[in-house]
Amino acid sequence: NGNMIVSNSINYFFPDVNTPLVFGNSGDWGAFFGKLDDIGIWNRALTSCEIKDLYNSQLGSAITSSTQTQTALDSYTWPVNNQTYSQSGIYTDTLINAAGCDSVIILNLSLEFTGIDERNVITVLVSPNPITNSFSVSGIEQIVSLTLKDLNGKSIKTFDVQDKNYSMSNVTSGVYFLEVRDEKRSYIVKVIKE
């Protein structure tokens, strides 16, 4: 099961080049009772984690990595490393425990962008808000387009910018985002339809 039963350290001398190197038997220590499958020689002592990984990999059961798949809007903060990602992609992190064993975790991230920038909210005023039947927009001189979007960023309704009162009578009650565009940029305002 990969658990160590016994450990022993010996002072080893470099063998005489004229004497064959033997595994599993020594004139001084006696024969090894068991079977040798693989033999490896390292120029340093392996950690218990490395030994266990080698043992498990021979059994075909080594778990060296795990993959997480996430989908998010605009950005995602990965709890593994507390980093925020703003682009879709594949990200990796290595976790190391107190014994020195490490695990590679892979994040397969897909981001969908709503185009909503909450920093723009303060310059546009929608009144009344909450909206019963209709509303007006102030704070922008020349409105180029006016679009109502659901919480997922999907367009629900496009308004005629020539109107000064915009009707919401055929819109279901709920929370929406109103995208107001002028010639230079777009502004997003959270609105509530009663």
Side-chain angles (χ1 to χ4, degrees), residues 110-124:
S110 296
L111 291 178
E112 297 173 8
F113 297 96
T114 61
I116 296 171
D117 185 353
E118 293 183 357
R119 294 171 296 180
N120 298 331
V121 172
I122 60 172
T123 59
V124 178

Side-chain angles (χ1 to χ4, degrees), residues 40-65:
I41 300 174
W42 286 263
N43 62 356
R44 62 178 177 80
L46 298 181
T47 67
S48 61
C49 296
E50 290 171 319
I51 293 169
K52 196 165 192 172
D53 284 346
L54 285 168
Y55 173 80
N56 288 331
S57 67
Q58 293 301 316
L59 298 176
S61 62
I63 300 173
T64 57
S65 68

